[in-house]
């Protein structure tokens, strides 16, 4: 039956509760919140303006920060010849199954298949070898904003694990180890700030174990996040010191500035942050009404909704309210606040409230006849529904401050949730129960790779009764990082590894993870 001409557009809402059916909840929040559209190639998704605008905010901030460090942007091709990819066999080996290849043009087979970049080390470093001739060419610091393709066969998830994704990859070269190591940590700090200061998501900084580091590099640093709904850890971004491994492979050498003709292999770093960050933000903050966007990255920070207009409202009052709403929008925009007045006349205020809640707009302003009379506006926070009335004369002071408060409150709430789910355990019998209660687990650890393998095995086997994700039955715990901020309590030669009983050398954080 066709809808009646005067029928109200159906209210869209999230029907899967976050606590009960997290995968469906995530899918609904993204699609109904207009961030994402599914695509007919598995593992690929359309980023709509709602999510792309978040990426643009991350880009703008990070780009200006790295430029301040002397990094320049460039763009390298997306194709890698098989010859060059082979060159780097050792490190590509483990990743080889994920490399996508172009083998045909139309119906003609290519003479030589061409790989699509899964990352750009092999694309860029032959040219680093060409461009870096003298120590005067150092440091070389390039970054590119691009997409990469990794043809994964694990269950895909929008933003979190996709076959094509957007990221930035920075690739730098230095004369000395000290300079390289200093940069690794500076970049890691920027990544941590993207999460905390833009996305209002707490992360833990640390170093990857030998097992989990980028195999081609010297050491890997990481920001690790936490998804409360699943109790899993998630890698936020990584900053690698590659050491001299790649410069030896690609012949990136300079003459020793100190002496006669000695060749020095340059010290290199690479670092990357991807659109996965958007997925983490959605998973951490979203609720059963939809997206909850942190103000600094929200496409719209404030929506102004005209309220209280009925059939009895006079034309004059209607005009006052609608003009008032447009005036507020204009004033906020002038302040640099991303505001939008919702003057659509075919929707009720209640419908609009739900619609903007679904899209996660951090702050709603309600403006009706009573507000007009009292020269005020009602503010309603998306994160918790807290309301307050603000005199129109104080908008300029209040709204930007309120947006900052919302950011801080969102971060504090997420941080509390994270902190209560990082538990310290010193006995093995407490390890799996802690994991099963959706915790990340820090243990005194011996640092041995075999022990790490064993932890993964033991924590998978023991978890027999709980199968939360059918595609990941009894997932074992991996090491997430060795946190830079180490808890106290490791006494050399005394404290034992919580898994194997050998001498512990540090606290290591383990968890089921994405
Ligand atoms: C998949 C296929 C082929 C990850 C891959 O983290 C190669 C790779 O090298 C691969 N998946 N990696 C490691 C990427 C290391 C590094 N590259 C620059 C980063 C940040 C940016």
């Amino acid at each position: 039956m066709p809808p009646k001409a005067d029928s109200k557009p159906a209210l869209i809402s999230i029907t899967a509760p976050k606590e009960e059916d997290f995968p469906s909840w995530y899918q609904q929040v993204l699609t109904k919140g207009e961030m994402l559209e599914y695509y007919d190639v598995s593992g690929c998704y359309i980023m709509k303006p709602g999510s792309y605008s978040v990426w643009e905010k991350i880009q703008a901030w990070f780009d200006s920060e790295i430029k301040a460090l002397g990094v320049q942007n460039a763009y390298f091709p997306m194709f890698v010849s098989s010859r060059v990819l082979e060159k780097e066999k050792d490190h590509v080996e483990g990743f080889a199954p994920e490399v996508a290849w172009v083998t045909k043009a139309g119906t003609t087979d290519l003479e030589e298949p061409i790989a699509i970049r899964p990352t750009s080390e092999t694309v860029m470093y032959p040219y680093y070898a060409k461009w870096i001739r003298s120590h005067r060419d150092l440091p070389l610091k390039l970054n590119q904003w691009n997409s990469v393709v990794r043809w994964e066969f694990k269950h895909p998830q929008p933003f979190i694990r996709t076959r094509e994704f957007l990221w930035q990859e920075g690739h730098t070269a230095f004369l000395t180890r000290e300079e390289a190591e200093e940069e690794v940590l500076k970049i890691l700090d920027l990544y941590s700030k993207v999460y905390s200061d833009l996305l209002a998501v707490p992360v833990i900084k640390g170093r990857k174990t030998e097992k989990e580091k980028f195999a081609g590099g010297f050491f890997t640093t990481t920001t690790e996040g936490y998804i409360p709904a699943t109790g899993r850890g998630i890698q936020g971004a990584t900053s690698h010191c590659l050491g001299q491994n790649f410069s030896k492979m690609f012949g990136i050498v300079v003459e020793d500035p100190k002496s006669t003709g000695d060749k020095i292999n340059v010290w290199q770093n690479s670092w990357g942050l991807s659109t996965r960050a958007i997925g983490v933000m959605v998973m951490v903050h979203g609720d059963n009404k939809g997206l909850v966007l942190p103000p600094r990255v929200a496409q719209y920070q404030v929506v102004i909704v005209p309220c209280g207009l009925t059939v009895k409202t006079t034309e004059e009052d209607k005009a006052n309210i609608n003009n008032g709403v447009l005036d507020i929008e204009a004033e906020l925009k002038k302040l640099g606040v991303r505001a939008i007045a919702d003057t659509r006349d075919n929707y009720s205020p209640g419908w609009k409230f739900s619609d903007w809640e679904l899209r996660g707009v951090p702050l709603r302003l309600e403006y009706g006849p009573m507000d007009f009379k009292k020269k005020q506006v009602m503010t309603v926070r998306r994160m918790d529904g807290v309301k307050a009335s603000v005199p129109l004369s104080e908008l300029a002071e209040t709204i930007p401050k309120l947006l900052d408060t919302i950011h801080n409150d969102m971060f504090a709430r997420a941080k509390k949730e994270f902190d209560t789910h990082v538990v310290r355990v010193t006995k093995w019998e407490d390890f799996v129960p802690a994991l099963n209660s959706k915790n990340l687990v820090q243990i005194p650890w011996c640092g041995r790779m075999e022990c790490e393998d064993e932890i993964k095995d033991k924590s998978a086997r023991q978890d027999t009764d709980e199968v939360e994700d059918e595609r990941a039955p009894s997932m074992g715990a991996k090491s997430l990082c060795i946190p830079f901020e180490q808890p106290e309590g490791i006494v050399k030669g005394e404290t034992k590894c919580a898994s194997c009983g050998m001498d512990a050398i540090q606290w290591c954080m383990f968890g089921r993870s994405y």
Side-chain angles (χ1 to χ4, degrees):
M1 210 169 53
K4 282 184 285 170
D6 65 342
S7 75
K8 296 258 155 48
L11 237 164
I12 299 158
S13 64
I14 307 296
T15 58
K18 190 179 186 183
E19 310 75 29
E20 284 163 32
D21 183 0
F22 185 66
S24 306
W25 172 86
Y26 183 59
Q27 182 179 327
Q28 287 192 20
V29 159
L30 291 176
T31 52
K32 295 182 177 180
E34 304 227 315
M35 273 208 158
L36 179 114
E37 181 72 52
Y38 277 75
Y39 190 65
D40 81 330
V41 175
S42 168
C44 298
Y45 307 88
I46 297 162
M47 284 176 73
K48 297 178 77 177
S51 60
Y52 197 79
S53 57
V54 173
W55 185 238
E56 286 180 311
K57 296 287 176 312
I58 294 173
Q59 260 187 321
W61 185 83
F62 187 77
D63 203 63
S64 90
E65 292 291 323
I66 59 176
K67 279 177 180 157
L69 297 178
V71 178
Q72 304 183 84
N73 284 327
Y75 187 79
F76 287 76
M78 72 183 304
F79 298 114
V80 198
S81 70
S82 40
R83 204 170 357 93
V84 174
L85 197 70
E86 290 289 291
K87 191 160 181 167
E88 223 213 342
K89 238 191 195 137
D90 286 350
H91 119 255
V92 167
E93 208 168 43
F95 299 119
E98 292 175 13
V99 176
W101 294 87
V102 179
T103 58
K104 275 187 181 183
T107 54
T108 318
D109 283 339
L110 297 190
E111 223 164 88
E112 207 186 44
I114 292 170
I116 303 171
R117 65 181 168 213
T119 178
S120 299
E121 280 80 359
T122 53
V123 175
M124 297 168 83
Y125 297 168
Y127 297 87
Y128 279 39
K130 180 179 178 192
W131 299 335
I132 299 172
R133 280 293 141 93
S134 136
H135 66 273
R136 287 179 200 86
D137 300 322
L138 295 173
L140 178 62
K141 306 184 191 183
L142 299 182
N143 176 71
Q144 63 177 353
W145 293 95
N146 56 338
S147 80
V148 291
V149 171
R150 296 180 186 172
W151 214 259
E152 303 213 44
F153 292 94
K154 284 191 220 156
H155 177 51
Q157 262 204 310
F159 300 114
I160 303 296
R161 188 187 294 127
T162 63
R163 285 179 167 173
E164 184 194 25
F165 57 84
L166 299 181
W167 75 350
Q168 59 66 220
E169 49 178 318
H171 295 265
T172 55
F174 301 88
L175 182 64
T176 66
R177 172 175 174 171
E178 289 69 33
E179 291 171 276
E181 291 193 0
E182 188 187 335
E183 188 204 59
V184 167
L185 295 182
K186 271 192 193 155
I187 297 293
L188 194 72
D189 256 329
L190 295 181
Y191 287 155
S192 168
K193 283 187 175 142
V194 166
Y195 277 93
S196 63
D197 297 1
L198 297 183
L199 305 178
V201 169
V203 290
I204 289 179
K205 288 187 282 184
R207 180 175 170 138
K208 286 286 186 186
T209 61
E210 285 303 298
K211 179 177 160 67
E212 294 297 333
K213 76 171 189 185
F214 173 33
F218 178 36
F219 66 88
T220 293
T221 65
T222 178
T223 55
E224 296 290 323
Y226 170 70
I227 307 298
T230 58
R232 293 207 230 162
I234 187 159
Q235 181 176 296
T238 47
S239 176
H240 314 278
C241 180
L242 303 177
Q244 295 169 306
N245 298 356
F246 282 88
S247 65
K248 284 176 184 162
M249 221 156 14
F250 287 89
I252 314 176
V253 291
V254 297
E255 297 213 346
D256 189 338
K258 286 198 291 268
S259 75
T260 50
D262 270 6
K263 294 286 186 195
I264 296 181
N265 284 283
V266 302
W267 286 79
Q268 289 175 271
N269 295 335
S270 79
W271 25 274
L273 169 82
S274 77
T275 40
R276 166 180 271 202
I278 298 171
V280 176
M281 171 195 81
V282 169
M283 288 181 165
V284 166
H285 297 303
D287 65 18
N288 287 332
K289 290 178 172 179
L291 294 165
V292 180
L293 296 176
R296 291 177 194 157
V297 294
Q299 179 176 27
Y300 298 114
Q301 298 171 304
V302 177
V303 58
I304 312 118
V305 181
C307 294
L309 302 178
T310 67
V311 275
K312 288 185 210 147
T313 312
T314 62
E315 284 308 312
E316 189 189 342
D317 259 356
K318 272 186 204 165
N320 286 337
I321 298 307
N322 280 320
N323 291 334
V325 156
L326 293 173
D327 287 347
I328 295 170
E329 179 194 46
E331 184 180 353
L332 291 177
K333 277 183 166 171
K334 222 187 277 171
L335 292 168
V337 174
R338 297 186 290 278
I340 182 168
D342 187 351
T343 52
R344 293 177 288 180
D345 60 9
N346 54 332
Y347 295 100
S348 68
W351 196 98
K352 291 177 182 177
F353 293 173
S354 305
D355 189 35
W356 294 107
E357 281 169 352
L358 210 45
R359 295 159 192 262
V361 176
L363 190 63
R364 176 172 85 228
L365 305 189
E366 301 174 3
Y367 188 66
M370 197 49 103
D371 302 296
F372 171 74
K373 212 177 286 168
K374 293 188 178 172
K375 296 187 167 55
Q376 64 178 28
V377 65
M378 185 65 81
T379 64
V380 186
R381 305 183 348 154
R382 174 63 182 89
M383 67 170 291
D384 53 11
V386 168
K387 294 185 177 193
S389 71
V390 173
L392 288 178
S393 60
E394 291 171 20
L395 280 185
E397 282 188 76
T398 311
I399 301 299
K401 256 197 240 159
L402 184 50
L403 290 171
D404 256 357
T405 305
I406 291 171
H407 173 92
N408 294 336
D409 291 353
M410 285 179 72
F411 180 78
R413 186 166 78 178
K415 174 89 163 64
K416 195 171 162 202
E417 185 79 5
F418 195 172
D419 288 348
T420 55
H421 286 94
V422 179
V423 299
R424 284 172 205 154
V425 155
T426 54
K427 296 194 296 284
W428 178 254
E429 58 262 37
D430 298 333
F431 188 93
V432 176
L435 282 182
N436 290 345
S437 313
K438 297 187 171 172
N439 295 304
L440 304 186
V441 186
Q442 298 185 343
I443 59 166
W445 185 55
C446 62
R448 296 177 313 118
M449 212 183 279
E450 308 81 70
C451 179
E452 206 173 330
D453 291 333
E454 215 173 274
I455 289 173
K456 194 171 173 182
D457 278 0
K458 287 194 291 183
S459 56
R461 264 190 277 113
Q462 289 186 16
D463 174 36
T464 44
D465 42 28
E466 228 169 296
V467 183
E468 31 177 334
D469 179 349
E470 54 175 329
R471 285 182 187 81
S474 315
M475 186 196 279
K478 288 202 277 190
S479 77
L480 304 174
C481 73
I482 299 154
F484 288 152
E485 231 173 86
Q486 284 278 309
E488 312 226 317
I490 304 255
V491 184
K492 247 195 183 158
E494 229 174 78
T495 312
K496 302 299 175 195
C497 172
S499 174
C500 71
M502 290 176 68
D503 281 353
I505 55 171
Q506 65 215 330
W507 289 87
C508 184
M509 183 164 74
F510 288 83
R512 303 213 167 95
S513 64
Y514 282 88

